[in-house]
Amino acid sequence: MSSNIKVVTRHGNSLKDKLYLPAIYDGVKVTFKHLFDNVTDMNAIDTLEYPEEQPTDITSRYRGLHRLTHRADDTIACVACFMCATACPSNCIFIEAVDREDGVDEKMPKSFFIDTLECVFCGYCVEACPCDAIRMDTGIFSLTGNSREDFVMGKEQLLSHKGAFGEEVSCART
Amino acid sequence: MSTFSIVVAVVSLILGALLALLTIPVLVWLERRIASLIQDRLGPNRTNIFGFRLGGVVQSFADVVKLLLKEEYYPSHINMGRWLFMLAPVITFVAALLAFMVIPFADTLMINGEALRVQALPVGFSLLWYLAIGAIGVLGVIFGGWLSHNKYALLGAARAGSMVISYELALGLSALAFVVTYDSVDFNAMVQWQSGVFWGVVPAWGILVQPVAAIILIVALFAETNRNPFTVAEGESEIVAGYMTEHTAMKFAMYFMGEYVAMNTASAVIITMIFGGYQLPWVSTETMLTHFSTFALALMVAIPLVVAVLIRWMRKNNTVRPTVSTDGGRGFETKVLSIALVVMTLFLEAVLLYLGFFAENLVANTIAVALFQVAVFVVKLMLFNIFFIIIRWTVPRFRYDQVQHLGWYYLLPLSLFNLLVTAIIVVGVTS
Ligand code: SF4
Ligand code: SF4
């Protein structure tokens, strides 16, 4: 026999293990302790009483709702290159481009819709964007609405979202 | 037939129906709350009616409304068997419900020389009734799974069948050991037997007289109710939802509620057969009746203590954290419930005071003792239901061949051997 073979001792063959009831007793001891502790002091349970208590531990890398960033002169940073729409695995970004007349850049989106009901919040659009024009650093994690249309975010709304972590303007288009 | 006997029969029937049906929402809620408390969560605690959440129990009623309003959906491929497909959950539910009806809630009332059973179905062959009707429940599971024409449902039904053959024998044999010990198939006679003591001090509860049979009975009844660790027929991690995969809306709810009724019934049978039923240890019905004023005094001390603990618990725990600005009406609820509890305590105290020290009315005393026994029964029932729930959230599920192995290689020989020993001892003692 090769010396590389390691013989693993099998557990569960002793009478105590085979009876199974001592193990159940041990398990119940653990669960009952949790139950008892929590029943006697409910407010000590380490959960968030959402929505009265809001989470405080959302990091800057958290992928929240999208936003479209601005340039330093407060105009839209997006150049309607369709990179994000191409990268999107859910095909939920709908862009229509127009020529940009103010001389800042060549192109800009006329309309820019994200259907957040289809979106899987993968962040590929953010990765794909060459202009740092789309970001998911809003820290918004809860999205509610009364109809399906409420969940289709338009350009104005996406531009109105604020970054939650200090970086306001696009880092690639100034 | 006197008026008393009719009243007692009707009241017991209503009591049986209430105890079986009204415990369903409570048990569903208990299951969810206990599960979450075990896992350090809070569980459903927000649904309320006019600010009254009662710890969240209102959630169960909201769920029932939701299930009632859900779309009825039938898979198109069950053409011929539709009526049976609809009937299957009803079979499971009704079988569990009927089986509950033979549980005695209090000792036989002796009123004006008449013996009145406090049992929804006043029959003397209760254990046989339970074994017969309780075993029908699995037919609903098998029909439902088979008729769904669905692989997972069929697997679930097959597993349910395999379960039956693994636990039924052990269940019957361990029950037989109790029949030999108590010399009766009547639940009420069993409880009366258990209200005695042996060796002078130890209460003659089934679990102490017949420990092996008691453990086999508990294990077998866990299997019969399809609860963890024996949820093989449902097996949600392997076969979607097992036999109820295709059942929607109220049909699903029937299976779901049937499971809880079955659990309740199993708890009732277990406490009746091995935990002294509606009796407290050491005090039999006669003791309570002959020393009624002592008994009333003891209750008058005990009730305020329990209520005080309850109110203190409520004031501590029916609150929100200091960091949360609104308490959502919890303070108001605590106040109203505390007042209600205090008023109820005062009322009970007054009644007990009158009965115990001023009225010398044997009928009224008998009824008071019976009501007390009902209360003891309900408390024991709930405690054992909680035990069922804790077990569910503690142990993982057995594979179904393991269940068979357990049933045939361990439980069956053990229960046979136990029956043999019991029979020898009983014959030796009586002859
Ligand atoms: S997060 Fe992913 S799915 Fe959502 S819009 Fe961006 S690329 Fe599409
Ligand atoms: S958001 Fe970025 S990737 Fe998408 S169209 Fe605008 S510039 Fe291109």
Side-chain angles (χ1 to χ4, degrees), chain B residues 11 23 31 41 60 74 154 201 283 292 294 296 307 339 344 359 387:
Chain B
V11 168
T23 42
E31 172 109 82
R41 300 181 283 119
S60 306
Y74 295 95
L154 186 60
V201 280
V283 274
F292 189 78
T294 326
V307 169
I339 292 172
M344 219 167 69
F387 175 71

Side-chain angles (χ1 to χ4, degrees), chain A residues 31 34 48 67 75 101 104 110 116 120 143-144 147 152 154 165 174:
Chain A
T31 45
H34 277 260
L48 213 58
R67 72 180 172 112
T75 57
E101 305 294 352
V104 181
K110 183 174 159 215
T116 48
V120 294
L143 184 59
T144 49
S147 64
V152 182
F165 303 100
T174 44

